[in-house]
């Protein structure tokens, strides 16, 4: 439980500062510091056990289907990072209290900082790969907020965006890599993964997984060639730079290397990829740290360089190198956080970070100068400071590597070169800022910063010195515990001390220091040399790339999605043609094994009429009324076809729908142009005809191929179970209301939604009202035909009776809710047509929307009813009942469901047609005439 | 008979598609309706073309495939809802945009009286 607290307390802490106001800054800082302090105490309480070799673990199942558990662990490696994050985090809170100006929102800053701290703690304590990744992404997001904290500055926004783009992309790669690892091992559990090195290394997916994971780690830790985002992230407030870009976030990448070291390391791929990338980064960063003029840029590039050094150590094929890497993580965090804070003080007090303007600040800020000198000496690798110890270990380990085979001597040589540069830029940082004459062009007279700003640096400097002098006493246990977690088997025995006697690493260290001073003295030659290179700013390049990407996607969108329905249709058709065409090409012959049935004259005549009507609809489409009549012929022929081929239910449905559709389209046509203008170009017509013909050909071939092949169907189940299972003889209806009742429920819901949508569309509809027909003759006033009016009135009760009959027999004979509903709707619509909307409205004085909605409700409730009896949704029950005078009747709950279908169909259909009629009636010529 | 049926479906589909590619709303609605007829016939035929069968349980057997019928039955009703929705959308668009072109282009058309 205490593990969970370590992570959750800072998360809680991200809310606390928001309770405070920006004016009460002490209170805000104290509130923020409380939670991490408690978390640190908890971690310290756990520490003795962890150092003794225990690994407290904690797991809750979270999303078992994804293999995601809320699982935490606190092994030596985690402990080292937890202490680092919480310890330095607390110092940063103290420092930021005085660093932030009153214009900055302190609660917001602290909230982001705490969120970031939570994410970081989550990474180092995660005991599940996916959980680790989740926290990893959270660090990217929260660091985005922190880098862009001064969001009024363009540089901050761009830097934040760049950091997010690079680390976010790396995060996605990492996810892919972790999933691969999870698939190889079969679980995302950290311990199992760490124990499965042999399985992972032998798997063919090892290399892609390794590449993806390294991509994630390298982007996060700003390794070459992804180093460019880190200097841009310096647009952040200095406390953020000190915390994120020295001590923690960029360490997430190297932490990942250490965490997965037991599972992934040991292969040639790991050796070459990791250590060479680290080496290149180390040299690259060191060179630019020497060139840069901005204090924070110098520190940023030196961070890149040191991260490269750590990465190289994790890559080397030596167990002690891993220990050295861990040790350097610790040391680098202490001296680099302190150095950033001194840079912050200089910036704060002098108003500039330009190293050309700053000189001789020791007169004004002696203590800061001393602290900067100590920590920079540690960075340079001067003996008696902690940086020296890990740097010498690093030099020693490069000597023993087998990397590059016969050229292995290159590695220690280049490592020494890197150390020379490190000594040189450290010297430059201190001497050019604090010594070397008097300051020039400063806007204000600098003075020492308030003591609470210096206190964190002082603490860190003391750590640097104490660890540097007494390494064995202070860090051996922690390092051994951490190395235990990062290595397979027990860590090598550690003999940390300042003096190992005269040996090669000591010589290399001496060369580094002496060389560093020499390079510093000769630095002007280096600067002159460097000026030959064209200056290329990474931000400009990155922004240019982003702009190009945006333009490209914009172009894609403009091309594909230009707002033309015709083009969309064409794309849909082309893809349908492609898919169906490929399916057709994969069969050997179009004709299947089943012999064709002979065509009888009736079918032939029907087919010919249908084809002509279909073609007529298309060819005569510019004369819309005729086209519509042709369409209705097709609909009627389809209905006949259903009747001919043994589908009475379909024939009835199609017939009723056909009537409703044609009435609707006629009504709509009245308000649309009567003719379609000639506007398609000849080439477009040719193109469309070709596509349509191709589409028709594919459909016909597909249909023919299907019809001449033997049929296997799952319908036997429905035929067998219709009576015993559904209590109905009409299998189609039983499928609709029982077997596939859920589909029908969805379908009537869609119908109801369509009706409501249309109701909404009709609201405040502006109509184009033709005053004359297409030949210029004025519309005659609408008279309702006498005969139709009388007959329809007589017909109504009969039609309703028929619909009830169809409804009731639906379960056992052709019929059912759909058809009955349509028949009722047609009968009522006939009233509207024969007598006009007003007449009908007076007599049918109810709203149709509630009918449709209650239909869906009844159907749903029927389905839910089966839950009451402990059955799954939409289970039907049926039984035989004896009703006096009528006799035995079979009643099923499916009938209630069918009633819902019936009501929905009636309601939706009338909602559409009656409302359309109602909206349009006031505009009819007859009314206008009457009014006139 | 199968060839005849397939040809008819193909011709209906082709006519429907040609209309759907037109530039004005009404032909597109008519085309979509025609296309849905073609699709319904196609789906229906996947159960085979049975003469004198029925999907009603009786003693003599000779059943037709009920499943495509059930599918097509709902498809017919949904097809109606779709037609209704699109045609009223077309009316609405004409009212709001002033054009019955599917892309919303205001192509000069003989302006009719607006009530």
């Amino acid at each position: 439980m205490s593990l969970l607290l370590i992570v959750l307390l800072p998360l809680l802490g991200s809310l606390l500062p928001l309770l405070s106001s920006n004016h009460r800054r002490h209170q805000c800082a104290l509130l923020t510091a409380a939670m991490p302090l408690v978390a640190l105490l908890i971690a310290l309480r756990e520490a003795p056990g962890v150092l003794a070799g225990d690994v407290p673990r904690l797991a809750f199942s979270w999303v078992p289907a994804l293999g995601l558990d809320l699982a935490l662990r606190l092994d030596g490696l985690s402990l080292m990072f937890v202490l680092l994050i919480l310890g330095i985090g607390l110092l940063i809170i103290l420092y930021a209290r005085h660093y932030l100006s009153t214009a900055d929102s302190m609660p917001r800053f602290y909230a982001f900082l705490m969120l970031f701290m939570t994410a970081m703690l989550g990474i180092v304590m995660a005991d599940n790969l996916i959980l680790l990744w989740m926290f990893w992404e959270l660090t990217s997001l929260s660091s985005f907020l922190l880098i862009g904290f001064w969001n009024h500055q363009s540089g901050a926004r761009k830097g934040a965006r760049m950091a997010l783009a690079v680390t976010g992309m790396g995060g996605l790669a990492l996810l892919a890599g972790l999933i691969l690892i999870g698939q190889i091992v079969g679980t995302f559990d950290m311990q199992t993964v760490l124990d499965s090195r042999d399985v992972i290394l032998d798997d063919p997916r090892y290399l892609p997984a390794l590449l993806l994971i390294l991509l994630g780690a390298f982007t996060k830790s700003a390794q070459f060639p992804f180093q460019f985002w880190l200097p841009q992230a310096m647009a952040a407030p200095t406390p953020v730079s000190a915390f994120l870009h020295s001590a923690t976030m960029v360490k997430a990448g190297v932490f990942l290397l250490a965490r997965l070291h037991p599972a992934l390391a040991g292969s040639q791929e790991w050796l070459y990829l990791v250590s060479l990338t680290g080496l290149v980064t180390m040299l690259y960063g060191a060179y630019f740290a020497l060139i840069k003029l901005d204090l924070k840029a110098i520190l940023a590039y030196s961070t890149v360089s040191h991260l490269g050094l750590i990465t190289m150590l994790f890559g080397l094929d030596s167990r002690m190198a891993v220990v050295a890497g861990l040790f350097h993580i610790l040391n680098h965090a202490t001296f680099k956080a302190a150095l950033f804070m001194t840079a912050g003080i200089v910036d704060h007090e002098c108003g500039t970070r330009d190293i050309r303007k700053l000189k001789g600040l020791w007169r004004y800020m002696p203590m800061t100068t001393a602290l900067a000198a100590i920590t920079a000496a540690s960075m340079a690798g001067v003996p008696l400071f902690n940086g020296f110890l890990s740097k010498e270990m690093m030099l020693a380990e490069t000597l023993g590597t087998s990397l590059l085979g016969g050229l292995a001597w290159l590695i220690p040589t280049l490592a020494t070169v890197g150390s020379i540069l490190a000594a040189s830029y450290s010297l430059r940082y201190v001497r050019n800022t604090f010594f070397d004459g008097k300051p020039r062009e400063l806007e204000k007279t600098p003075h020492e910063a308030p003591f609470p700003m210096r206190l964190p640096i002082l603490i860190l400097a003391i750590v640097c010195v104490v660890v540097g002098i007494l390494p064995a006493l202070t860090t051996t246990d922690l390092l051994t515990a951490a190395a235990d977690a990062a290595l397979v088997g027990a860590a090598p025995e550690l003999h940390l001390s300042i003096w190992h006697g005269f040996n090669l690493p000591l010589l290399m260290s001496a060369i580094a220091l002496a060389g560093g001073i020499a390079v510093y003295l000769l630095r002007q030659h280096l600067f002159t040399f460097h000026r030959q290179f064209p200056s290329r700013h990474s931000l400009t390049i990155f922004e240019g790339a982003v702009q190009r990407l945006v333009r490209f996607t914009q172009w894609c969108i403009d091309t594909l999605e230009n707002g033309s329905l015709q083009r969309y249709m064409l794309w849909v058709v082309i893809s349908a043609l492609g898919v169906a065409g490929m399916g057709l090409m994969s069969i050997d012959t179009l004709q299947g094994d089943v012999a064709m049935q002979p065509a009888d004259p009736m079918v032939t005549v029907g087919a010919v009429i249908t084809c002509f009507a279909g073609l007529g609809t298309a060819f005569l489409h510019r004369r819309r009324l005729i086209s519509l009549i042709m369409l209705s012929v097709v609909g009627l022929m389809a209905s006949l076809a259903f009747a001919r081929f043994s589908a009475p239910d379909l024939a009835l449905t199609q017939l009723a729908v056909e009537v409703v559709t044609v009435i609707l389209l006629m009504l709509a046509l009245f308000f649309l142009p009567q003719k379609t203008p000639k506007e398609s170009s000849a080439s477009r017509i040719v193109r469309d005809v070709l596509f349509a013909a191709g589409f028709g050909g594919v459909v016909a071939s597909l249909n023919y191929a299907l019809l001449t092949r033997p049929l296997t169907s799952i319908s036997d189940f429905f035929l067998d179970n219709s009576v015993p299972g559904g209590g109905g003889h009409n299998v189609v209806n039983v499928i609709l209301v029982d077997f596939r009742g859920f589909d029908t429920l969805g379908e009537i819901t869609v119908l109801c939604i369509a009706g409501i949508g249309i109701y909404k569309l009709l609201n405040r509809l502006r109509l184009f009202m033709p005053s004359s027909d297409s030949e210029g003759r004025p519309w005659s006033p609408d008279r309702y035909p006498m005969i139709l009016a009388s007959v329809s009135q007589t017909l109504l009760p009969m039609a309703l009776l028929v619909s009830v009959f169809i409804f009731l027999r639906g379960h056992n004979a052709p019929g059912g809710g759909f058809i009955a509903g349509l028949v009722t709707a047609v009968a009522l619509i006939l009233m509207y047509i024969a007598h006009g909307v007003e007449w009908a409205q007076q007599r049918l004085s109810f709203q149709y929307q509630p009918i449709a909605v209650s239909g869906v409700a009844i159907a749903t409730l029927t389905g839910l009813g089966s839950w009451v009896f402990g059955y799954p949704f939409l289970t039907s029950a049926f039984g035989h009942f004896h009703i006096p005078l009528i006799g035995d009747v079979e009643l099923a709950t499916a009938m209630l469901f069918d009633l819902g279908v019936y009501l929905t169909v009636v309601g939706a259909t009338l909602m559409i047609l009656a409302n359309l009629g109602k909206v349009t009636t006031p505009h009819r010529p007859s009314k206008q005439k009457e009014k006139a | 008979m199968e060839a005849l049926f397939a040809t008819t479906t193909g011709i209906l589909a082709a006519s429907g598609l040609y209309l759907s590619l037109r530039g004005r709303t009404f032909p597109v609605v008519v085309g979509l309706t025609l296309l849905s007829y073609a699709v319904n016939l196609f789906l229906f035929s996947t159960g085979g073309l049975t003469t004198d069968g029925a999907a009603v349980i009786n003693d003599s057997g000779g059943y037709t495939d009920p499943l495509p019928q059930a599918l097509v039955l709902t498809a017919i009703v949904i097809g109606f809802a779709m037609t209704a929705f699109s045609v009223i959308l077309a009316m609405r668009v004409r009212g709001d945009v002033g054009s019955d072109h599917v892309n919303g282009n205001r192509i000069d058309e003989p302006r009719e009286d607006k009530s």
Side-chain angles (χ1 to χ4, degrees):
Chain A
M1 202 60 213
S2 56
L3 297 190
L4 202 57
L5 280 180
I6 296 178
V7 177
L8 288 186
L9 283 177
L11 185 62
L12 185 66
S14 71
L15 299 175
L16 280 183
L18 298 175
L19 298 177
S20 172
S21 84
N22 199 21
H23 305 295
R24 310 172 72 175
R25 300 169 82 81
H26 268 309
Q27 185 203 40
C28 189
L30 282 175
L31 268 178
T32 312
M35 288 300 150
L37 189 64
V38 176
L40 182 63
L41 292 178
I42 295 173
L44 286 175
R45 207 194 64 186
E46 295 284 334
V50 175
L51 293 181
D54 293 345
V55 179
R57 299 173 71 185
L58 171 106
F60 299 104
S61 192
W62 189 355
V63 189
L66 295 178
L68 173 59
D69 296 329
L70 183 60
L72 298 174
R73 65 191 281 142
L74 189 69
D75 55 15
L77 187 62
S78 306
L79 180 70
M80 185 180 111
F81 270 92
V82 165
L83 296 180
L84 208 59
I85 293 162
L86 288 170
I88 296 187
L90 281 167
L91 298 179
I92 295 291
I93 292 171
L94 175 63
Y95 180 83
R97 155 69 189 84
H98 295 274
Y99 178 86
L100 290 178
S101 78
T102 44
D104 302 322
S105 167
M106 189 178 267
R108 199 162 66 98
F109 179 83
Y110 278 142
F112 291 161
L113 197 70
M114 287 290 108
L115 191 64
F116 172 79
M117 200 185 270
T118 309
M120 208 56 217
L121 290 168
I123 291 183
V124 300
M125 288 175 65
D127 200 16
N128 178 291
L129 292 182
I130 302 295
L131 187 72
L132 185 147
W133 174 80
M134 215 186 72
F135 283 117
W136 182 279
E137 289 298 77
L138 192 57
T139 59
S140 294
L141 290 175
S142 52
S143 81
F144 171 78
L145 295 171
L146 282 167
I147 298 170
F149 181 72
W150 284 328
N151 51 25
H152 53 278
Q153 296 175 357
S154 153
R157 293 197 301 270
K158 285 178 179 161
R161 198 163 67 191
M162 189 197 247
L164 183 67
V166 176
T167 57
M169 188 192 73
L172 290 180
L174 175 67
L175 176 64
L178 291 178
I179 288 175
L180 275 180
I181 293 290
Q183 282 179 350
I184 295 171
V185 181
T187 172
F188 292 114
D189 176 63
M190 187 69 78
Q191 195 57 51
T192 319
V193 169
L194 296 183
D195 292 339
S196 323
R197 174 155 91 170
D198 298 337
V199 183
I200 295 173
L201 290 192
D202 288 341
D203 198 280
R205 287 167 288 181
Y206 168 68
L207 188 60
L210 179 69
L211 287 174
L212 288 165
I213 288 175
L214 289 184
L215 199 58
F218 288 172
T219 49
K220 200 76 159 183
S221 278
Q223 295 298 294
F224 188 84
F226 305 107
Q227 80 294 337
F228 55 86
W229 71 265
L230 185 58
Q232 301 307 325
M234 290 302 131
T238 303
V240 173
S241 308
F243 192 38
L244 271 67
H245 306 125
S246 64
T248 54
M249 184 174 111
V250 290
K251 296 279 169 61
V254 285
F255 166 79
L256 189 73
L257 296 181
R259 172 57 88 205
L260 295 178
H261 194 274
L264 298 177
S267 64
Q268 285 295 307
E269 293 93 334
W270 173 281
L271 174 66
Y272 275 82
L273 281 171
V274 179
S275 48
L276 288 184
T277 307
L279 185 64
V280 171
T281 312
M282 177 171 85
L283 292 171
Y284 179 94
Y287 175 75
F288 279 94
L290 192 55
I291 298 291
K292 289 291 164 182
L293 299 170
D294 181 324
L295 286 186
K296 275 178 83 176
I298 294 172
L299 293 177
Y301 276 104
S302 81
T303 303
V304 170
S305 171
H306 281 271
L307 288 168
L309 190 158
I310 297 167
T311 303
M312 180 183 79
L313 284 171
F314 285 141
L316 287 179
D317 47 354
S318 131
R319 295 166 66 80
M320 198 48 120
V322 175
V323 183
L326 291 169
F327 194 22
H328 200 68
I329 287 178
L330 212 55
N331 296 336
H332 176 252
T334 50
F335 67 69
K336 191 52 69 67
L339 281 169
F340 264 112
M341 288 193 250
T342 59
I345 287 179
V346 169
D347 187 15
H348 201 254
E349 298 303 326
C350 304
T352 179
R353 297 194 307 251
D354 192 326
I355 202 164
R356 286 168 298 189
K357 296 181 184 169
L358 299 165
K359 273 183 197 316
L361 290 181
W362 66 271
R363 290 181 187 82
Y364 308 104
M365 37 180 83
M367 181 172 169
T368 307
T369 307
L371 295 175
I374 292 170
T375 45
S378 178
M379 176 159 80
V382 177
L384 298 184
F385 301 107
N386 59 358
F388 167 74
L389 298 166
S390 45
K391 185 156 276 184
E392 199 179 45
M393 279 173 86
M394 179 272 285
L395 293 171
E397 292 315 312
T398 54
L399 286 170
T401 183
S402 67
L403 184 63
L404 299 181
L407 290 175
W409 56 270
L410 259 176
I411 308 296
T413 312
L414 291 174
T416 313
V417 172
S419 303
I420 290 173
L421 292 173
S424 179
Y425 64 66
S426 304
L427 183 56
R428 176 163 174 255
Y429 178 83
V430 175
R431 182 158 184 274
N432 286 28
T433 313
F434 297 101
F435 301 97
D436 194 20
K438 287 182 174 177
R440 294 177 293 186
E441 307 165 38
L442 282 189
E443 285 151 20
K444 49 186 178 183
T445 312
H447 54 80
E448 193 67 278
F451 182 70
M453 268 180 99
R454 283 173 283 154
L455 181 62
I457 313 177
L458 180 65
I459 295 172
L460 289 171
I462 292 172
V463 172
C464 284
V465 177
V466 171
V467 172
I469 296 173
L470 301 167
L473 205 62
T474 47
T475 50
T476 307
D477 286 349
L478 187 59
L479 271 183
T480 312
D484 271 341
L487 287 169
V488 180
E493 207 172 323
L494 209 53
H495 301 289
L496 293 176
S497 65
I498 310 172
W499 184 249
H500 283 289
F502 289 105
N503 54 14
L504 202 48
L506 184 70
L507 179 65
M508 287 157 80
S509 284
I511 293 174
L513 287 177
I517 294 168
V519 169
Y520 175 73
L521 294 175
L522 299 171
R523 65 187 184 281
Q524 289 307 334
H525 299 283
L526 191 68
F527 296 162
T528 319
F529 170 73
H530 187 76
R531 275 188 216 107
Q532 297 169 10
F533 294 101
S535 125
R536 278 153 59 94
H537 202 253
S538 65
L539 198 58
T540 335
I541 299 169
F542 179 78
E543 285 293 317
V546 170
Q547 292 298 328
R548 276 196 297 282
L549 189 67
V550 168
R551 276 200 297 278
F552 173 70
T553 47
Q554 190 63 47
W555 176 82
C556 287
I557 290 172
D558 289 345
T559 314
L560 289 174
E561 198 185 334
N562 64 346
S564 164
L565 180 72
Q566 288 166 294
R567 184 173 291 199
Y568 301 164
M569 288 286 289
L570 203 62
W571 279 115
V572 172
V573 171
I574 288 172
S575 16
L577 272 180
V579 172
M582 272 198 288
L584 275 173
M585 277 188 271
S586 64
I587 57 175
D588 298 330
T589 54
L590 190 61
Q591 166 98 44
D593 302 331
V594 177
M596 278 204 280
Q597 304 171 39
D600 57 73
M602 289 298 281
V603 172
T604 315
V605 171
V608 170
I609 294 176
T610 315
C611 290
F612 271 105
L615 290 172
T617 316
F619 285 131
L620 301 173
H621 79 270
R622 291 188 37 241
R623 300 166 71 182
R624 293 180 172 182
L625 187 61
I626 296 179
S627 175
L628 186 55
I629 291 167
M630 292 289 189
L631 178 74
S632 73
V633 172
V634 176
L636 288 176
M637 294 312 292
S639 164
L640 287 178
F642 290 138
R644 167 67 181 77
F645 295 114
S646 322
D649 291 276
L650 289 189
L652 285 170
T653 314
Q654 175 68 42
L655 195 63
V657 163
E658 185 52 34
V659 173
V660 187
T661 308
V662 171
I663 292 173
L664 173 76
L665 289 179
M666 294 274 273
L667 197 53
L669 183 56
F670 186 70
F671 299 100
L672 291 167
Q674 305 299 306
K675 288 189 174 177
T676 306
K678 217 174 190 170
E679 60 188 5
S680 299
S681 64
S683 61
R684 167 163 279 197
I685 288 176
V686 169
R687 185 194 77 180
D688 289 352
V689 165
L690 284 179
F691 270 114
F695 185 71
V698 166
V699 169
S701 316
L702 213 56
N703 200 355
Y704 182 71
L706 206 67
L707 281 170
T708 52
R709 277 172 170 71
L711 177 73
T712 48
S713 169
I714 57 167
S715 298
D716 288 341
F717 170 82
F718 298 121
L719 289 168
D720 292 343
N721 287 287
S722 177
V723 176
H729 288 81
N730 181 4
V731 188
V732 177
N733 186 262
V734 174
I735 291 176
L736 282 176
V737 298
D738 193 335
F739 291 130
R740 310 291 307 163
F742 204 41
D743 294 354
T744 311
L745 181 63
E747 202 242 1
I748 58 173
T749 312
V750 171
L751 189 64
C752 187
I753 291 172
I756 292 171
I758 287 169
Y759 181 67
K760 187 69 196 155
L761 277 178
L762 289 174
N763 187 23
R764 299 189 184 193
L765 177 67
R766 298 194 310 161
L767 286 167
F768 279 82
M769 191 65 215
S771 57
S772 61
D773 72 0
S774 50
E775 273 142 43
R777 292 171 299 202
W779 289 104
S780 65
D782 210 353
R783 276 197 209 92
Y784 299 109
M786 184 73 167
I787 298 177
L788 181 61
S790 329
V791 170
S792 66
Q793 240 168 314
T794 327
L795 217 54
L796 180 67
M798 286 166 70
L800 292 179
L801 202 63
V802 167
S803 76
V804 172
F805 172 68
I806 287 178
F807 174 78
L808 285 178
R809 70 179 216 143
H811 217 45
N812 291 309
F818 276 111
I819 301 165
L822 286 165
V823 170
T824 307
V826 170
L828 292 177
I829 288 165
L830 193 58
M831 292 290 104
Y832 281 89
I833 294 175
H835 295 282
V837 170
E838 282 156 4
W839 186 93
Q841 204 113 61
Q842 281 162 9
R843 286 156 184 83
L844 298 167
S845 59
F846 44 86
Q847 294 280 311
Y848 297 111
Q849 292 87 294
I851 297 183
V853 172
S854 63
V856 177
I858 289 175
T860 314
L861 287 176
T862 312
L864 290 175
S866 46
W867 277 357
V868 177
F869 300 99
Y871 291 102
F873 189 61
L874 276 172
T875 310
S876 80
F878 60 91
H880 292 269
F881 300 92
H882 184 78
I883 300 175
L885 296 176
I886 297 178
D888 267 335
V889 174
E890 190 179 351
L891 288 176
T893 55
M895 193 163 259
L896 203 57
F897 183 81
D898 219 10
L899 180 68
V901 173
Y902 170 82
L903 288 177
T904 313
V905 172
V906 173
T909 312
L910 281 169
M911 201 190 328
I912 295 166
L913 277 167
N915 283 324
L916 181 60
K918 196 162 69 185
V919 169
T920 56
T921 297
H923 309 294
R924 292 283 160 77
S926 58
K927 299 303 293 181
Q928 286 171 350
K929 207 153 240 183
E930 277 167 29
K931 274 176 197 158
Chain B
M1 197 142 66
E2 277 78 0
L4 212 53
F5 191 93
T7 313
T8 312
T9 327
I11 287 178
L12 291 185
S15 308
L17 180 70
Y18 177 77
L19 285 176
S20 309
L21 290 171
R22 294 303 90 212
R24 300 285 168 158
T25 49
F26 195 76
V28 171
V29 173
V30 170
L32 287 177
T33 313
L34 199 55
L35 203 56
S36 73
Y37 288 159
V39 170
N40 286 345
L41 284 171
F42 183 103
L43 284 181
F44 167 68
S45 73
T46 55
L49 301 176
T50 317
T51 309
D52 290 337
V56 178
I57 303 293
N58 55 33
D59 298 331
S60 57
Y63 300 121
T64 174
D65 194 339
L67 189 62
Q69 295 196 16
L71 285 177
V72 171
L73 202 155
T74 54
I76 291 172
V77 181
I78 282 282
F80 163 68
M82 184 202 72
T83 305
F85 192 86
S86 49
V87 79
I88 287 171
L89 191 65
M91 288 173 67
R92 177 91 202 192
V93 166
R94 184 153 191 246
D96 290 356
V97 181
S99 153
D100 73 332
H101 198 279
V102 286
N103 299 347
N105 302 348
R106 279 179 181 275
I107 294 172
D108 294 330
E109 58 172 292
R111 294 286 290 184
E112 285 160 292
D113 294 356
K114 215 176 102 179
S115 63

